[in-house]
Amino acid sequence: MNTRIAILLLALTAVAACQKATPKASTPGATTAQTPAAAAGQAPPAVAGAPGGPAAPAVKPVPAQLPDVLARVNGETISKPEFERALRNLEAQAGGPVPPERRDAILRQLLDQIVALKLLAQESTARKVAVADTEVDARVNQVKGQFPNEPAFTAALAERQMTPEKLKADIRQQMQAMKLVDTEVAPTVTVGDADIATFYQQNPDKFQQPEAVHAAHILIRLPEKADDAAKKKARADADKVLAQAKKAADFAALAKQYSQDSGSAVNGGDLGFVAKGQTVPAFEQAAFGLKPGQLSGIVETPFGFHIIKSFEHRSARTIPLQEAKADVTQFLKQQQMQEKTNAFIEKLKAKAKVQILI
């Protein structure tokens, strides 16, 4: 279990989980697409432990009707409402409900994560780990900032049966737990050059970089099941933007003004490097057919009409060790941090009274 991920999962920055973050590479050398065209044919992110991963061992069934109290950690209860809030946050971040065939495993894993958080929070309180009010307020404001206005934020809290006071208390508790981990575990994490070199040599597949193009685009969306009139209007709008782009207008400024791809428009349409196989065929064919600095015509995909600009074409290659070193270092530190945090939690659990009631 990645405890730091568990803490972040349970932190109610997940109140805003409906606004999905761009997935991050879990291993060095991995890449992710940032274009709506890349989403075609891809399933929504799976809940942890969903089909496709390693076969999970048999687990004790979780009752269909959850009791009012699921567990006690040194006398502190884990209530049904608390557990259900965490489950809703998990599903919101995963982009879908827990698969029925994995329900028992996922719910028990989630309960284990909540127990771990309780243990860390209790230990941080016992050690008088302090978190300043200003830090808590700043985190609360970060959460609020993910919503367009105060009513939207309040509605999201109500949907999760939360109050602003409970949100603030939970965030304080979770920040205390994370500060404890950072104080107790982080100083023991060490990664040397030999560790980095060994990982690089033993995982050559993780450093293969596919052929890719650094591109930007402007998207004029085509509504789902659009009729001929809507399609004609969208095409006309795209033609107008293309005409401006051909007059050497600032492509990034045009993207910020006209592109309807919210994920890239704020960055001037920049998609970063898009590898082969990450986008729908029409987008890929057009993007990879451009020379650096060249502008495409109108490219139609199921998402709408695109205008693509190429910046750089990169051939497939093996990422050299020196270039990968920073990413490998971070990956190994996170891996070691996870392992040592788990060991720390097991020590806390050994001296605690943990009662699992389901």
Side-chain angles (χ1 to χ4, degrees):
M1 178 188 69
N2 186 330
T3 304
R4 291 178 68 81
I5 289 177
I7 293 170
L8 291 173
L9 166 68
L10 295 168
L12 286 175
T13 48
V15 164
C18 55
Q19 302 180 23
K20 224 165 25 177
T22 303
K24 295 184 180 179
S26 58
T27 53
T31 58
T32 55
Q34 298 177 21
T35 165
Q42 294 184 359
V47 173
V59 295
K60 182 180 177 182
V62 174
Q65 182 63 41
L66 297 175
D68 292 338
V69 176
L70 285 79
R72 291 189 179 89
V73 182
N74 291 322
E76 183 180 353
T77 63
I78 297 175
S79 67
K80 179 180 177 180
E82 178 182 2
F83 183 82
E84 289 179 337
R85 279 196 301 271
L87 180 58
R88 283 194 294 270
N89 290 335
L90 172 63
E91 291 179 326
Q93 289 192 335
V98 169
E101 67 276 12
R102 297 290 295 136
R103 178 180 180 271
D104 293 337
I106 293 169
L107 266 58
R108 289 210 174 273
Q109 183 182 42
L110 180 60
L111 182 57
D112 186 50
Q113 291 173 349
I114 299 174
V115 168
L117 177 59
K118 294 286 186 189
L119 288 168
L120 288 170
Q122 290 172 0
E123 185 70 12
S124 68
T125 299
R127 296 191 188 194
K128 298 185 168 121
V129 175
V131 177
D133 290 344
T134 53
E135 294 180 77
V136 177
D137 291 340
R139 184 67 60 85
V140 171
N141 288 333
Q142 283 180 350
V143 177
K144 284 186 177 181
Q146 297 180 57
F147 294 88
N149 50 50
E150 186 78 21
F153 170 67
T154 303
L157 287 179
E159 183 182 348
R160 285 163 177 76
Q161 299 178 335
M162 288 290 291
T163 64
E165 293 74 22
K166 182 69 168 68
L167 172 63
K168 190 171 182 177
D170 282 357
I171 286 179
R172 181 183 296 279
Q173 184 183 68
Q174 289 144 16
M175 291 180 75
Q176 284 179 311
M178 292 190 71
K179 189 170 281 193
L180 173 65
V181 170
D182 288 338
T183 302
E184 181 72 21
V185 180
T188 70
V189 173
T190 57
V191 175
D193 288 343
D195 302 316
I196 296 166
T198 298
F199 182 87
Y200 182 84
Q201 292 164 4
Q202 292 180 348
N203 297 276
D205 56 307
K206 290 179 170 55
F207 302 95
Q208 300 308 307
Q209 203 168 59
E211 181 182 2
V213 62
H214 181 189
H217 81 147
I218 297 170
L219 171 66
I220 305 301
R221 286 195 179 275
L222 193 60
E224 190 177 353
K225 298 180 181 179
D227 57 20
D228 289 342
K231 187 172 182 179
K232 186 175 180 179
K233 182 185 183 303
R235 175 62 193 241
D237 290 343
D239 284 333
K240 289 177 183 177
V241 178
L242 177 60
Q244 293 186 59
K246 284 182 175 179
K247 291 177 182 177
D250 185 332
F251 190 89
L254 289 175
K256 288 179 180 179
Q257 183 176 358
Y258 295 111
S259 182
Q260 295 167 357
D261 175 13
S262 59
S264 67
V266 292
N267 298 318
D270 196 342
L271 303 169
F273 277 97
V274 181
K276 279 198 169 181
Q278 284 188 311
T279 66
V280 292
F283 189 98
E284 178 177 297
Q285 184 177 358
F288 279 83
L290 297 172
K291 295 178 181 178
Q294 191 175 9
L295 200 66
S296 75
I298 302 297
V299 179
E300 183 178 353
T301 76
F303 295 95
F305 298 104
H306 307 256
I307 302 162
I308 306 169
K309 184 172 183 178
S310 171
F311 297 110
E312 181 184 349
H313 194 129
R314 186 178 66 196
S315 300
R317 65 172 186 144
T318 299
I319 302 172
L321 174 58
Q322 196 57 36
E323 188 178 327
K325 187 174 180 178
D327 284 343
V328 174
T329 301
Q330 182 183 15
F331 176 77
L332 291 177
K333 282 184 176 179
Q334 289 176 342
Q335 189 178 59
Q336 196 177 132
M337 185 79 173
Q338 175 180 326
E339 292 169 356
K340 292 190 173 187
T341 300
N342 290 345
F344 179 58
I345 289 171
E346 288 305 313
K347 287 183 180 179
L348 296 180
K349 194 177 290 186
K351 66 179 184 179
K353 183 177 181 180
V354 178
Q355 300 170 284
I356 305 299
L357 304 177
I358 58 172

